Amino acid sequence: MIGVCISGGGAKIGFAVGVLEAMEEKGIKLDLAYGISSGSICTAALCYGDVDFLKRQLLSIKKREEVLKKQWIKAIWTLLTGMGKADGWYEMDTMRQKLALLPLEKPKIKGVIGFVRLQKGNIEYVSSHDKSKEEFLDAVQASCSIPAFMQSQRVGHENLVDGGVRDVLPLKATIKDSYQVAEIHVICLSPLMSSTDKIFKNIVQVAERSVDLLVNEILQNDYDYAELVNKLLIHKESLSIDLKTWLANKRPLKLYRYLPTMAICDTTDFRKESILKGIEHGREIAKKVLSNYPS
């Protein structure tokens, strides 16, 4: 069985589209998809539609306001009075409306997305096999809700927010899934970070850079963990008793990682040219990664 694991990254989602297109052209059939934040949007498309649907919806966006609608006056009112539900600078209803256009009522594959319950602080994974389509898409919207920046998803007295707060790349969860996939394609929407001379002039730019640095650390650590397990399994017989015990329930995996080599766009830059740039770069990277697939 084959799985895909897609990280968060906002408008960098175009990169995932390009990778997924290249995977389709290679004839790779997925059984399982895990996604966080914008990766959860990809997961929803893989479950209830296809990559072409996702691509068309993204390229139909003409400006950022079509995805992120400003609600600054409401947000300031809520901040000052504690009244209302505008706990973020932007609404997210437009993307939810686009997801509602997904054509299928039953999932083609198993999809799993993660969001965080802010009150409890725990990450919760929701499967398309355990929820209705409507409930699953509500969870996708919650998974995309970057705290403070975007309005949280309200369920009763609870606030549901971006799963990337706890797990921006759900690779460990993908490995542990009951499907026990033997092959995982890991799509990271952000490149490994380097230093920059850019001056960050406002709160949005500072927040985006800070999030990117955090994402970078988690992306690298989680993939390193999976590779370490593979290496230890190869040399299992020469390891200590403690390590053998730790490896007892683990299995070797075929891992394919798709990592951008350049900064595609900012997290909230949903312009058509930025999405197209991401798609082109995703296809370029995927063709290199899959050049000798499946050997």
Side-chain angles (χ1 to χ4, degrees), residues 83-99:
M83 300 172 63
K85 294 184 177 181
D87 54 10
W89 296 114
Y90 297 94
E91 295 180 3
M92 290 184 62
D93 289 346
T94 304
M95 184 53 75
R96 179 66 177 80
Q97 291 166 10
K98 289 182 179 294
L99 288 173

Side-chain angles (χ1 to χ4, degrees), residues 73-252:
I73 294 175
K74 290 181 179 179
I76 291 171
W77 170 256
T78 298
L79 178 65
L80 294 176
T81 67
M83 300 172 63
K85 294 184 177 181
D87 54 10
W89 296 114
Y90 297 94
E91 295 180 3
M92 290 184 62
D93 289 346
T94 304
M95 184 53 75
R96 179 66 177 80
Q97 291 166 10
K98 289 182 179 294
L99 288 173
L101 299 174
L102 282 162
L104 302 180
E105 288 305 314
K106 299 294 182 182
K108 296 187 295 184
I109 66 172
K110 180 181 178 181
V112 182
I113 64 92
F115 59 79
V116 169
R117 291 189 180 272
L118 204 56
Q119 279 77 0
K120 296 178 181 177
N122 64 299
I123 188 165
E124 182 173 319
Y125 290 102
V126 171
S127 168
S128 60
H129 285 188
D130 300 328
K131 299 288 183 179
S132 68
K133 179 182 178 181
E134 194 72 18
E135 291 171 328
F136 188 76
L137 295 183
D138 284 344
V140 169
Q141 180 167 336
S143 184
C144 295
S145 301
I146 302 173
F149 194 69
M150 302 169 187
Q151 183 167 322
S152 66
Q153 185 89 340
R154 298 288 182 92
V155 176
H157 297 294
E158 287 195 288
N159 303 72
L160 310 183
V161 299
D162 189 349
V165 171
R166 290 293 304 270
D167 192 6
V168 75
L169 179 69
L171 180 53
K172 291 179 182 177
T174 309
I175 294 170
K176 294 177 181 177
D177 189 90
S178 60
Y179 268 32
Q180 295 285 288
V181 291
E183 177 178 312
I184 301 178
H185 295 259
V186 184
I187 304 176
C188 306
L189 302 191
S190 299
L192 297 180
M193 298 297 293
S194 58
S195 60
T196 179
D197 294 328
K198 180 179 178 180
I199 297 173
F200 303 99
K201 298 180 179 180
N202 59 55
I203 190 171
V204 172
Q205 291 177 347
V206 170
E208 288 182 339
R209 175 65 175 178
S210 300
V211 169
D212 283 345
L213 289 170
L214 175 62
V215 166
N216 177 81
E217 186 72 16
I218 298 172
L219 289 179
Q220 189 62 41
N221 289 346
D222 281 16
Y223 191 79
D224 285 349
Y225 164 83
E227 281 206 317
L228 175 63
V229 170
N230 272 347
K231 290 175 182 178
L232 290 175
L233 285 169
I234 293 172
H235 303 287
K236 186 175 180 179
E237 294 308 314
S238 61
L239 299 177
S240 67
I241 297 297
D242 287 343
L243 277 174
K244 286 181 179 178
T245 301
W246 182 72
L247 289 168
N249 296 319
K250 295 176 174 59
R251 66 193 187 282

